[in-house]
């Protein structure tokens, strides 16, 4: 189970990081450094959040319902605190865009959604050709 979790983490986190770096580079070249910083900072914390989620998932599986609930709740609160860090940093610094940091926080989720949409479109094309 850990291998599939790590493979999933590697797949989506690497896509999110590469995409953020490419977009960040384009933004820096275009003169929008605060937006680039915010996007990359938010993406890094999004990746950290996703890895934390993957690491705590197996620990909750073989626990009693009460202990599993407590671990899940603690995990959620800790991960929310982690996701607040880039937003707080952006609010305190003029060199980091708050909106871009907030967008970066959703980078991994956007990669997962994009992968799903890509697969859905591909399967729809295959079904359309079969008719």
């Amino acid at each position: 189970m850990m291998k599939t979790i790590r493979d999933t983490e590697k797949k989506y986190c690497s896509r999110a990081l590469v995409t953020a770096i490419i977009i960040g580079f384009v933004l820096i070249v275009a003169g929008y450094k605060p937006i680039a910083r915010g996007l990359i900072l938010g993406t890094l914390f999004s990746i950290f959040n996703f890895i934390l989620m993957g690491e705590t998932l197996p620990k909750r599986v073989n626990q009693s319902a009460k202990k599993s609930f407590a671990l899940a709740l603690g995990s959620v609160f800790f991960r929310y605190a982690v996701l607040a860090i880039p937003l707080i940093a952006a609010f305190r610094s003029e060199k980091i865009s708050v909106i871009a940091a907030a967008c970066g926080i959703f980078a991994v989720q956007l990669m997962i959604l994009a992968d799903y949409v890509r697969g859905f479109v591909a399967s729809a094309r295959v079904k359309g050709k079969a008719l």
Side-chain angles (χ1 to χ4, degrees), residues 20-41 94-101:
I21 289 172
I22 291 170
I23 293 171
F25 179 74
V26 170
L27 288 168
I28 288 171
V29 169
Y32 298 105
K33 288 182 183 180
I35 296 173
R37 286 185 191 114
L39 181 67
I40 292 171
L41 181 66
E94 293 180 11
K95 295 182 178 185
I96 303 171
S97 168
V98 175
I99 295 172

Side-chain angles (χ1 to χ4, degrees), residues 7-102:
D7 290 342
T8 303
E9 289 172 353
K10 184 176 179 182
K11 175 182 176 181
Y12 293 120
C13 293
S14 61
R15 286 181 185 179
L17 187 59
V18 167
T19 303
I21 289 172
I22 291 170
I23 293 171
F25 179 74
V26 170
L27 288 168
I28 288 171
V29 169
Y32 298 105
K33 288 182 183 180
I35 296 173
R37 286 185 191 114
L39 181 67
I40 292 171
L41 181 66
T43 300
L44 289 173
F45 278 86
S46 177
I47 290 168
F48 184 57
N49 176 54
F50 193 65
I51 291 170
L52 281 175
M53 194 173 13
E55 292 298 317
T56 59
L57 182 63
K59 291 172 179 48
R60 290 181 284 166
V61 172
N62 295 326
Q63 303 293 332
S64 67
K66 195 172 186 179
K67 191 168 185 178
S68 179
F69 177 75
L71 286 170
L73 195 59
S75 171
V76 168
F77 284 132
F78 180 70
R79 290 185 302 108
Y80 281 172
V82 166
L83 291 176
I85 293 170
L87 294 175
I88 292 168
F91 275 118
R92 290 187 173 197
S93 173
E94 293 180 11
K95 295 182 178 185
I96 303 171
S97 168
V98 175
I99 295 172

